[in-house]
Amino acid sequence: MTFTTKALLVLLTLSTAACTRPDRFGGGVNDGAANGAGAGAGVTAPTGAADPSSPQFFAQTIGDRVLFEVDSATLTAAGQATLDGQAGWLQTNSDYLAIVEGHADEQGTREYNLALGARRANTVREYLISKGVPSNRMRTISYGKERPIEVCSEESCYAKNRRAVTIISVGALS
Amino acid sequence: MLKWVLSAVLAACLAAPAAAQDGPLRLTITDGVIEPLPFAVPGFQAETAGAEQLAADITRLVAQDLANTGLFREIPSSAFISQPASFGAPVAYADWRAINAQALIGGAVAVSGDQLVVKFRLYDVFAGTELGEGLQFAGTTQGWRRMAHKVADAAYSRITGEGGYFDSRVVFVSETGPKDARQKRLAIMDYDGANLQFLTDSAAIVLAPRFSPRGDRVLYTSYESGFPRINVLDVASVGKQQLTTAEGEMAFSPRFSRDGNQVIYSLANGGNTDLYRTDLASGAHTRLTSAPSIETAPSFSPDGSRIVFESDRSGTQQLYIMSANGGDAQRISFGEGRYGTPVWSPRGDLIAFTKQNAGRFHIGVMRTDGSEERLLTASFLDEGPTWSPNGRVLMFMRETQGAGGSSALYSVDISGRNLSAVPVQGAGSDPSWGPLQP
């Protein structure tokens, strides 16, 4: 089984757990309107946000995202603190895989923003590796400016869209 | 400022009658000020019963193609002193001179079953002579728009001495839905927005399509595998397959070489994006750049020997030119702000780009050495120019601001004049203008 195939399975798994990833594809509760949102309804992760080993806990309590400055892929101090928490969680919950999504705000050209998102996602991945998370449990993807979570054309929205989000997936490495 | 002259090709008329008053039919554009050339198109004659409607529609489309360039001005039929007696009958030049029609277009339409024949003649009114030979196009009635575009292309070409661009198509991304849940589908249409067809469904994000030089295939970035990958789509069959690229986490920003046999693209690995080339026949991959910076948005020169691309190796997005085989690159953009999405003109003389400066986006052009930069547009977000087949017009996307923002396609000519919205059904982005159709 190739890594690509497994990654696809991971994605499929993710797409059945929309409520655990409010960020992905722009909200997860918007009628699945965006490309690739899939049929996300019905299946939820087995445990709730109160369970420290649940993906919900990861997303809500640990913090699933870090934000970046304009046209930058450098981690902020706050971002590093969040990732320290992510690394600890991933080491404790070693059954989970992670996909790190890189995103950009709309102030940039499409293809450059894809590359910028890849750079952001990789910065997070490298940081998590440096904190002990095995590299083979993570994969990166960039959405560039294709998947904003905030829609206004002001810095208050842009700041939230310039992000890297760590998506936790129930899956096992074989 | 750029100065250029569109002069008529009048090979046949150079030995023209001494009676010609004002010399050959000529279009002059200077310093962005233009005097549109007045033309008259009496209704094309219906040569068969039942051809009247098509004759009228074709006449209107020919006039619209020409007038929409901003280079020509149609004289309304209410000003006409006389009508041509029949197609090819002697022209009453005095009647057309009197209303200052410099060009006169005559045509006739015949229909038999679903077969359509369109005939066309162009006259230089002040020279008192026909400009070029009469032309005849045959096809089906469903293809009437293409035949009208071909007539307009012939008229445009004979008057300006340049290739036309009306009988061409545009592939683009059709968009629906709000900003945070947008659906994107690949679509194709005539250059004027007619005959819209979808090429993909909206199951996966699709981005930035590019026509092959012959217009038979389209490259684009698709997320259908779950990750960004490059697809090649055959326009006629709408069959698609993933391009086997060099190994990387993400492949995007694909463009065909001018012979259509190679693809250059960006590959991201470990957060670093570089340019690669893949030969479609052999499957051989060549890495073209090896820098820790972002290298993307490549475009070949018309002779295929060089590539213009964008890189942030200096710290911000700027434009560079290198050999088609990679190696050292020369930076060509030095103005304020960031420069991206360079596209080499099919004429080879200019590079169009997106510029971002002081919170605004612009479409601009510069010479291939970076000189004579001119910004043609300004808005909240203008992006991604694509050249008309004759290198005279740029199409691009314009996105509006705010929560309700959406994308539309616009065109502007390279003098910065004639900015206009392309009448696309629904929202659209990422246009790629294909070649003139055979």
Side-chain angles (χ1 to χ4, degrees):
Chain A
M1 197 171 175
T2 66
F3 185 78
T4 307
T5 315
K6 279 187 289 188
L8 278 176
L9 290 175
V10 169
L11 273 184
L12 288 171
T13 309
L14 286 170
S15 70
T16 60
C19 68
T20 67
R21 43 184 186 84
D23 176 67
R24 196 174 179 85
F25 304 130
V29 288
N30 50 25
D31 299 318
N35 295 116
V43 183
T44 55
T47 51
D51 177 352
S53 68
S54 71
Q56 292 96 319
F57 183 87
F58 177 90
Q60 292 166 24
T61 307
I62 302 287
D64 63 352
R65 69 199 56 201
V66 297
L67 304 180
F68 295 90
E69 297 299 313
V70 175
D71 198 18
S72 166
T74 304
L75 291 171
T76 61
Q80 291 186 9
T82 302
L83 295 182
D84 288 341
Q86 289 189 7
W89 190 93
L90 283 164
Q91 284 172 299
T92 305
N93 299 282
S94 57
D95 286 345
Y96 288 104
L97 302 180
I99 291 187
V100 183
E101 296 181 350
H103 298 268
D105 66 29
E106 68 187 0
Q107 309 171 91
T109 49
R110 196 179 310 289
E111 290 168 333
Y112 179 82
N113 277 351
L114 281 180
L116 179 59
R119 204 184 247 171
R120 286 174 174 158
N122 191 65
T123 300
V124 167
R125 181 176 180 274
E126 294 291 332
Y127 188 89
L128 292 174
I129 290 170
S130 79
K131 295 296 172 182
V133 180
S135 61
N136 63 1
R137 286 176 57 198
M138 292 182 285
R139 180 140 193 203
T140 58
I141 184 171
S142 173
Y143 287 96
K145 61 175 172 178
E146 302 308 312
R147 289 291 175 258
I149 46 169
E150 299 290 335
V151 295
C152 76
S153 296
E154 287 150 32
E155 175 54 24
S156 60
C157 289
Y158 293 160
K160 292 177 184 165
N161 289 334
R162 292 190 302 265
R163 67 201 191 277
V165 185
T166 306
I167 306 292
I168 296 302
S169 151
V170 281
L173 290 170
S174 54
Chain B
M1 279 303 289
L2 179 79
K3 291 191 178 187
W4 52 280
V5 172
L6 290 174
S7 59
V9 171
L10 285 173
C13 299
L14 290 178
Q21 295 178 349
D22 290 310
L25 196 50
R26 173 181 287 263
L27 254 181
T28 306
I29 300 174
T30 308
D31 288 337
V33 178
I34 184 178
E35 193 56 48
L37 186 142
F39 70 98
V41 192
F44 282 19
Q45 295 184 347
E47 293 193 327
T48 54
E52 291 80 5
Q53 187 59 49
L54 268 177
D57 291 344
I58 289 169
T59 310
R60 282 301 89 219
L61 191 50
V62 170
Q64 183 182 308
D65 277 344
L66 292 172
N68 285 351
T69 64
L71 302 176
F72 303 93
R73 176 172 61 79
E74 186 185 10
I75 296 174
S77 58
S78 57
F80 294 176
I81 294 167
S82 63
Q83 293 282 343
S86 65
F87 181 71
V91 173
Y93 287 112
D95 288 351
W96 302 104
R97 283 180 201 134
I99 60 170
N100 196 34
Q102 294 191 35
L104 173 68
I105 297 170
V109 175
V111 175
S112 169
D114 68 347
Q115 295 300 301
L116 171 66
V117 174
V118 179
K119 291 186 279 191
F120 146 82
R121 289 181 187 275
L122 176 66
Y123 302 92
D124 178 344
V125 171
F126 284 87
T129 184
E130 188 170 352
L131 187 53
E133 302 275 295
L135 283 179
Q136 178 168 314
F137 302 103
T140 62
T141 50
Q142 292 99 319
W144 71 270
R145 293 187 71 93
R146 283 199 60 193
M147 291 160 76
H149 291 321
K150 284 198 174 299
V151 168
D153 275 325
Y156 176 98
S157 184
R158 288 175 182 189
I159 295 171
T160 65
E162 315 226 352
Y165 60 86
F166 309 122
D167 184 26
S168 61
R169 297 206 284 178
V170 172
V171 62
F172 68 105
V173 173
S174 171
E175 301 192 358
T176 53
K179 241 171 146 173
D180 59 353
R182 194 147 284 169
Q183 291 197 327
K184 298 193 169 195
R185 304 173 70 180
L186 223 53
I188 193 169
M189 64 182 186
D190 296 350
Y191 97 104
D192 60 1
N195 292 320
L196 178 74
Q197 281 178 267
F198 294 105
L199 300 175
T200 67
D201 61 24
S202 56
I205 303 172
V206 292
L207 303 174
R210 287 292 191 283
F211 259 123
S212 64
R214 283 168 48 203
D216 56 338
R217 288 164 296 159
V218 171
L219 286 167
Y220 62 103
T221 301
S222 170
Y223 280 67
E224 71 185 347
S225 71
F227 292 84
R229 289 286 161 203
I230 295 165
N231 277 359
V232 188
L233 180 138
D234 180 81
V235 174
S237 69
V238 201
K240 59 182 192 282
Q241 64 180 67
Q242 188 175 310
L243 177 74
T244 303
T245 62
E247 204 151 318
E249 290 155 8
M250 271 176 43
F252 60 101
S253 198
R255 281 76 159 127
F256 281 103
S257 60
R258 299 280 171 162
D259 62 8
N261 295 331
Q262 297 178 329
V263 177
I264 48 175
Y265 53 93
S266 281
L267 204 62
N269 264 317
N272 179 32
T273 297
D274 273 301
L275 294 173
Y276 288 72
R277 182 179 67 210
T278 290
D279 184 84
L280 290 173
S282 71
H285 311 302
T286 307
R287 183 170 184 168
L288 300 176
T289 64
S290 295
S293 43
I294 290 171
E295 276 71 38
T296 190
S299 173
F300 275 105
S301 61
D303 68 1
S305 69
R306 289 182 292 167
I307 294 171
V308 62
F309 63 99
E310 62 172 75
S311 168
D312 70 347
R313 60 185 65 178
S314 73
T316 59
Q317 269 175 293
Q318 299 292 338
L319 308 184
Y320 294 80
I321 290 178
M322 67 178 176
S323 156
N325 294 315
D328 288 345
Q330 300 297 318
R331 178 170 164 180
I332 62 165
S333 61
F334 291 98
E336 280 180 43
R338 296 159 60 182
Y339 295 78
T341 77
V343 192
W344 213 306
S345 157
R347 303 158 64 93
D349 55 342
L350 295 173
I351 288 166
F353 55 84
T354 304
K355 176 166 173 162
Q356 198 184 341
N357 189 33
R360 302 276 283 173
F361 280 76
H362 308 269
I363 301 299
V365 292
M366 59 173 64
R367 298 216 163 267
T368 57
D369 62 2
S371 66
E372 296 184 41
E373 174 181 329
R374 288 180 297 119
L375 300 182
L376 308 177
T377 73
S379 91
F380 167 71
L381 208 178
D382 284 350
E383 181 179 340
T386 180
W387 289 97
S388 64
N390 68 354
R392 283 297 180 200
V393 180
L394 290 163
M395 196 178 289
F396 60 97
M397 75 153 221
R398 171 167 288 184
E399 187 153 340
T400 53
Q401 195 167 354
S406 71
S407 298
L409 304 187
Y410 279 76
S411 65
V412 65
D413 72 34
I414 57 169
S415 67
R417 296 186 64 265
N418 207 35
L419 175 70
S420 49
V422 181
V424 182
Q425 200 182 312
S429 61
D430 296 2
S432 171
W433 204 326
L436 209 53
Q437 300 192 85

